[in-house]
Amino acid sequence: MFDARAFWSTYPGLGEVRPERVPSPGPGEVLVRTLHSGVSRGTETLVFQGRVPENQWTTMRAPFQAGDFSGPVKYGYLNVGVVEEGPAELLNRTVFCLFPHQTRYVVPIEAVTVVPDGVPAARAVLTGTVETAVNAVWDAAPQLGDRISVVGGGMVGSSVAAVLAGFPAADVQLVDADPARKTVADALGVDFALPEAAATGRDLVIHASANPAGLTRSLELVAPEKTVVELSWYGDREVPLRLGEFFHSRRLTIRSSQVGGILPQRGRTYAERLDLALRLLRDDRFEALLTGRSGFEELPAVLSRLADGSLAALCHVIDYPAAN
């Protein structure tokens, strides 16, 4: 057995670091010591605030979640660590795993994905989010030379923009109400606009702001007979949407993408999609999505500040002590 520590959301809006006992790995398992984890600001703050609707409790379970919504619950899925015990081919390798914020853990071998050379360990915490972006781009099916808007420059939207930035001949614009997101857009190599100044007549719009006003604006930006891909997850919020004006006359489509369990796409397993995401993360542009860092013991305060908006972040990286 090994001693470990883990972050738990104990009550809506409250969290704490608790001791854990981790068993020795058995056949087909690995022991991982965490180097970094990432806070998925949208979903994790909803979990932290106890805002996962009861009818979504099963769908929204993380792969290695402990406890139940709305708490106490150990939740998270952006974890990068080093294999301390396991088969020789994985020993001392840096790996990504969909595991919560915990200093050490044991999982089946198939639950870890080796981080390739050229991807810094801290950047690799973005793997799960970039995989979501890959899935969204597959759902959107952009064409050569498309005029594409991504509405919402948060962690997911910026990841989508980063993936699309390399799409041949595409005109990509990141739209966000926060003027500071222009810095992120510049780093990604895409255009930026505030919602009121965003380009119209777009061939494709991907919405990721988690704000109903953003979805309304997305429908205004997309060209007739085109599609808005809805990538936001709203938790227990009601989403008002006016569909009685131009929605029908312009024959628009809203397509859902991403939330919870993701069905197989293009014959790729989930593990294969994670591997693709990690290869994309060799691109230094993704570094712009890492906008803050804190130590592991600071997690309760960090989640509280992310949830109330006093800490602005895309992906906030949690650094773990060298000997944990």
Side-chain angles (χ1 to χ4, degrees):
M1 297 286 287
F2 298 88
D3 290 324
R5 293 172 65 75
F7 173 75
W8 285 74
S9 294
T10 53
Y11 187 80
L14 295 174
E16 65 183 19
V17 174
R18 294 179 172 182
E20 301 269 346
R21 292 290 284 166
V22 177
S24 298
E29 295 182 325
V30 290
L31 171 69
V32 179
R33 175 174 59 84
T34 304
L35 301 173
H36 310 281
S37 60
V39 179
S40 175
R41 186 174 180 270
T43 303
E44 285 198 58
T45 55
L46 288 173
V47 170
F48 181 72
Q49 294 170 317
R51 292 178 51 203
V52 179
E54 188 171 352
N55 62 10
Q56 293 297 300
W57 283 5
T58 300
T59 300
M60 293 306 298
R61 285 193 68 87
F64 295 101
Q65 173 181 323
D68 296 301
F69 303 120
S70 58
V73 60
K74 181 172 67 178
Y75 192 86
Y77 45 82
L78 302 175
N79 190 300
V80 174
V82 61
V83 175
E84 291 192 319
E85 292 188 17
E89 64 271 19
L90 289 176
L91 201 59
N92 299 319
R93 300 294 301 272
T94 301
V95 294
F96 173 83
C97 183
L98 297 165
F99 204 89
H101 308 281
Q102 183 165 313
T103 57
R104 271 190 177 87
Y105 54 91
V106 169
V107 292
I109 291 171
E110 59 268 21
V112 300
T113 305
V114 174
V115 176
D117 293 340
V119 180
R123 191 190 303 167
V125 300
L126 292 167
T127 304
T129 306
V130 174
E131 189 278 332
T132 296
V134 167
N135 188 76
V137 172
W138 282 346
D139 278 339
Q143 302 294 311
L144 288 171
D146 269 358
R147 298 159 297 179
I148 307 170
S149 292
V150 180
V151 177
M155 185 175 169
V156 172
S158 293
S159 294
V160 172
V163 172
L164 289 171
F167 200 80
D171 166 18
V172 181
Q173 185 175 77
L174 182 65
V175 180
D176 197 276
D178 183 357
R181 293 288 160 83
K182 183 179 186 304
T183 302
V184 177
D186 290 344
L188 297 178
V190 300
D191 190 24
F192 175 82
L194 296 172
E196 60 271 19
T200 58
R202 309 300 275 177
D203 299 301
L204 174 65
V205 176
I206 299 175
H207 176 239
S209 78
N211 187 323
L215 180 54
T216 296
R217 186 59 176 144
S218 297
L219 290 169
E220 294 169 347
L221 300 180
V222 73
E225 300 196 355
K226 300 296 185 179
T227 296
V228 172
V229 175
E230 175 56 280
L231 195 52
S232 299
W233 190 68
Y234 298 91
D236 58 0
R237 295 171 61 195
E238 291 189 7
V239 181
L241 191 60
R242 297 171 67 174
L243 299 179
E245 298 176 349
F246 54 82
F247 179 76
H248 290 288
S249 63
R250 294 172 59 206
R251 299 178 58 82
L252 303 180
T253 298
I254 301 174
R255 174 170 183 173
S256 65
S257 179
Q258 183 257 293
V259 219
I262 300 175
L263 297 175
Q265 278 231 45
R266 303 195 177 190
R268 307 287 184 93
T269 65
Y270 191 67
E272 288 172 326
R273 299 202 305 268
L274 288 177
D275 182 68
L276 172 58
L278 275 163
R279 285 187 277 124
L280 288 170
L281 282 166
R282 288 193 176 106
D283 190 331
D284 291 339
R285 286 181 295 191
F286 284 97
E287 201 70 22
L289 276 60
L290 306 179
T291 53
R293 300 180 82 137
S294 299
F296 172 70
E297 298 293 337
E298 300 174 75
L299 255 172
V302 167
L303 260 296
S304 180
R305 293 179 62 204
L306 287 172
D308 67 19
S310 61
L311 178 60
L314 293 179
C315 180
H316 196 88
V317 178
I318 304 302
D319 298 319
Y320 288 66
N324 56 35

